[in-house]
Amino acid sequence: MILLHRLVHGILLFAIITGCAQKKNSSEEKIIQNSTISKINGVSLVAAPDSLSHKNVASLKEVNANYVTVMPFGFIRSLSHPEIIYDQERQWFGETRLGVTQYVELLHNNEIEVMMKPQIWVWNGEYTGYVEMASEADWRQLEETYKNFILDFAKIAEAKSIEIFCIGTELEKFIEHRPDYWRELIAEVKKVYNGKLTYAANWDEYSRVPFWDALDYIGVDAYFPVSESETPTVEEAIAGWGRWKKELKDFSEKENKKILFAEYGYRSVNFSGKEPWKSDREMTSVNLEAQTNLLEGLYQSIWDENWFAGGFLWKWFVLNEKVGGPDDNQFTPQNKPALRVVSKFYSTQKE
């Protein structure tokens, strides 16, 4: 009887030990798998007049980008005009259906994944968030032309196995006035495209978008104000992200979706963390340190978070050797000290 008791005890003890070991190994395996999944380390590729070449792709590889946004453009004459014109001969090659197709094929051949992000440009550069029609007839015409614009490029996205498709960028008034249309549009896109979907909401708009449940990522154009300083330090940038970081985390958990920065970046100009969305020509200073510190602060604050999927740096030009540099005060980090920060984080950050 004593022998039997010891035998049973031994079997139970072995089961407990091996069971714990199995649980531990399963947990470790999950952690290991998660650690090998790269963030979306992306750049927003500005369309060019000519086709993309292997030389152009080389600079993307050097900065360790694993994703690129391609951006076909449609144009409207004014904020209240209902017709979108796109895929025109007079447009730059990279903005057209033929152009984005060539871009995507070359990027995929070089093992760089793609988000296609069709965008509207309002003549005179007015903000697309204020696009708003004056009549029901105009709203219906806008809806029809916008649907044609989006579906044409969604079909290309499907044909070329594009990984992510963005259904719109910073169209706050359009969504506010016509929320049902956007759900219908998403349903139409899903009939022709099987990849991941997002929408690029402005930083002060994303919490009011009513259809995140129908998409795969919460897309945010992340121009959050983080510093009032002329030249913010990295520590100031990190502190400035504190409020927004909590809001983004809470919103991600509420919607049960990861946050994707559909755009993010800073100009190399004084006070670039104060109103990061500004592209005013009147801002003529050059401040390379501000751009470098702000990007470093963003990466240290956000990139390692589990609720964060990654993002697309604004912006990247095809002709790398002819843009940016020490006298440039625009968004691109090309040929500036900030480029080293981007390359470093893109090479190391994991989920």
Side-chain angles (χ1 to χ4, degrees):
M1 192 72 180
I2 293 173
L3 180 62
L4 180 61
H5 175 75
R6 287 178 176 173
L7 180 61
V8 172
H9 182 266
I11 292 171
L12 289 173
L13 182 61
F14 176 77
I16 291 169
I17 292 171
T18 55
C20 290
Q22 286 172 348
K23 287 181 181 179
K24 182 180 180 182
N25 289 340
S26 174
S27 176
E28 287 176 348
E29 183 181 357
K30 184 176 180 182
I31 292 169
I32 291 168
Q33 287 176 346
N34 284 343
S35 70
T36 60
I37 300 172
S38 295
K39 295 284 189 181
I40 293 173
N41 300 323
V43 298
S44 301
L45 188 65
V46 179
D50 302 312
S51 59
L52 199 65
S53 70
H54 286 284
K55 180 182 178 182
N56 306 141
V57 175
S59 64
L60 297 169
K61 290 284 193 177
E62 288 170 5
V63 79
N64 298 303
N66 61 13
Y67 251 95
V68 162
T69 301
V70 296
M71 296 179 287
F73 268 86
F75 299 87
I76 56 176
R77 293 178 185 171
S78 69
L79 292 170
S80 60
H81 189 78
E83 185 180 7
I84 299 169
I85 300 169
Y86 63 98
D87 201 40
Q88 302 291 299
E89 287 185 6
R90 63 181 179 271
Q91 283 184 246
W92 279 9
F93 179 73
E95 296 176 346
T96 66
R97 285 187 285 187
L98 183 61
V100 295
T101 300
Q102 189 270 331
Y103 281 21
V104 170
E105 288 174 350
L106 185 59
L107 290 164
H108 277 170
N109 287 340
N110 284 272
E111 299 182 333
I112 296 176
E113 297 185 311
V114 176
M115 178 169 77
M116 182 178 279
K117 185 165 168 269
Q119 293 192 209
I120 293 176
W121 178 263
V122 184
W123 264 283
N124 299 319
E126 294 184 89
Y127 176 51
T128 53
Y130 298 143
V131 168
E132 187 173 10
M133 299 299 104
S135 69
E136 178 64 19
D138 284 351
W139 274 118
R140 289 190 177 276
Q141 186 179 358
L142 176 65
E143 289 174 347
E144 186 64 23
T145 59
Y146 189 79
K147 181 178 76 172
N148 294 338
F149 173 55
I150 290 299
L151 289 181
D152 273 353
F153 286 104
K155 290 171 185 175
I156 294 174
E158 176 64 19
K160 295 301 171 182
S161 300
I162 289 174
E163 288 76 11
I164 306 174
F165 186 80
C166 183
I167 63 168
T169 298
E170 297 177 5
L171 293 167
E172 182 176 354
K173 290 293 183 183
F174 193 171
I175 291 171
E176 179 185 327
H177 286 282
R178 315 296 281 192
D180 293 341
Y181 164 79
W182 284 87
R183 287 197 174 272
E184 293 166 6
L185 177 65
I186 293 166
E188 290 296 314
V189 170
K190 288 181 176 180
K191 290 178 183 178
V192 300
Y193 173 72
N194 292 300
K196 302 290 187 182
L197 293 176
T198 191
Y199 163 75
N202 200 23
W203 68 275
D204 59 353
E205 171 201 359
Y206 77 90
S207 63
R208 297 189 301 279
V209 173
F211 47 74
W212 291 126
D213 61 297
L215 302 177
D216 297 286
Y217 295 109
I218 299 166
V220 180
D221 287 353
Y223 302 110
F224 297 91
V226 294
S227 173
E228 298 275 333
S229 298
E230 179 177 302
T231 306
T233 64
V234 173
E235 291 73 24
E236 284 176 324
I238 292 171
W241 270 104
R243 167 193 172 188
W244 308 119
K245 182 176 176 178
K246 183 181 186 308
E247 285 188 12
L248 289 163
K249 179 180 183 291
D250 291 347
F251 194 78
S252 172
E253 291 174 351
K254 180 173 80 74
E255 296 290 334
N256 196 28
K257 307 277 181 182
K258 286 198 173 188
I259 304 287
L260 174 66
F261 283 178
E263 294 176 20
Y264 75 91
Y266 302 96
R267 288 180 61 182
S268 46
V269 68
N270 291 342
F271 301 103
S272 51
K274 184 177 181 180
E275 296 173 308
W277 58 89
K278 278 194 170 181
S279 55
D280 298 2
R281 294 182 183 275
E282 291 75 19
M283 300 169 71
T284 58
S285 61
V286 177
N287 192 329
L288 302 176
E289 185 181 357
Q291 182 185 46
T292 301
N293 290 349
L294 286 163
L295 284 171
E296 179 86 32
L298 184 155
Y299 291 138
Q300 289 192 27
S301 297
I302 301 295
W303 224 257
D304 227 11
E305 294 296 316
N306 290 331
W307 48 264
F308 182 67
F312 294 88
L313 180 66
W314 187 265
K315 52 192 174 175
W316 193 270
F317 293 91
V318 169
L319 298 177
N320 180 60
E321 67 279 4
K322 294 185 177 181
V323 297
D327 298 323
D328 179 79
N329 68 5
Q330 298 302 311
F331 282 94
T332 182
Q334 288 166 279
N335 302 304
K336 300 177 186 177
L339 188 65
R340 292 193 295 271
V341 174
V342 179
S343 180
K344 180 186 71 172
F345 273 85
Y346 275 13
S347 68
T348 61
Q349 295 302 295
K350 304 290 184 182
E351 282 190 279

